Amino acid sequence: DDYPQLDLEASGNNSKEVAEELLNLLGWRFSTKESKRLEFAGQFEVLGAVLDLTKSNLGKIIVKNKPSRISDLSETVSTIVRNGVLSPAEAAKLRGRFVFAESQIFGRVGAVMAPSFRARASGRDLSSFLTASMS
């Protein structure tokens, strides 16, 4: 799995090598693929989210969803709106994806629409057409 590590820029990659040696000494398995052993960066992906530390000197740390997740959700919602149909199964799947995306950024924006999707997914709302609260 991923083991994100934060360090001061002045340390360079020495701390990465020390951390890898510690994991080896502890007997922990970790990937040594170059695609996993990334150089330190001000912005990086961790557990499906993007952690942006480029403004940390101003006291700001930004957590956001990966661009691919945002794009996928946007395409799905556009298709649903274009077709004007949302089945209970699609509502359940979309609700799950929104909840996951929301939890990645610790926000509550997705919670506004969650009751409508929950009602459709649970069968309390038997319609397949979009309601005003969904569009």
Side-chain angles (χ1 to χ4, degrees):
D1 218 335
D2 294 338
Y3 299 101
Q5 178 182 350
L6 302 178
D7 200 353
L8 298 173
E9 189 174 9
S11 297
N13 284 324
N14 291 337
S15 58
K16 178 170 63 173
E17 293 164 5
V18 170
E20 288 177 352
E21 187 58 31
L22 175 63
L23 292 174
N24 280 325
L25 290 170
L26 294 172
W28 288 22
R29 294 179 359 182
F30 63 97
S31 177
T32 56
K33 294 179 187 174
E34 286 305 312
S35 63
K36 292 285 191 175
R37 300 179 74 240
L38 303 175
E39 299 296 321
F40 284 107
Q43 179 174 303
F44 56 94
E45 289 183 11
V46 58
L47 302 174
V50 176
L51 184 61
D52 184 345
L53 304 173
T54 57
K55 297 180 181 172
S56 60
N57 61 326
L58 302 174
K60 294 181 182 182
I61 296 175
I62 300 167
V63 180
K64 55 190 173 185
N65 281 287
K66 295 185 334 183
S68 61
R69 177 169 292 121
I70 295 168
S71 176
D72 289 347
L73 277 170
S74 179
E75 287 177 29
T76 300
V77 169
S78 292
T79 299
I80 291 168
V81 170
R82 186 173 50 254
N83 295 336
V85 176
L86 180 65
S87 71
E90 290 171 322
K93 183 177 178 181
L94 189 58
R95 178 182 174 272
R97 291 174 64 195
F98 275 130
V99 168
F100 184 79
E102 177 191 14
S103 70
Q104 290 295 86
I105 58 172
F106 310 110
R108 299 288 299 153
V109 175
V112 173
M113 294 180 65
S116 299
F117 288 106
R118 186 172 27 256
R120 179 71 53 90
S122 69
R124 286 182 291 149
D125 173 3
L126 299 176
S127 174
S128 288
F129 296 101
L130 293 182
T131 64
S133 64
M134 293 177 175
S135 52

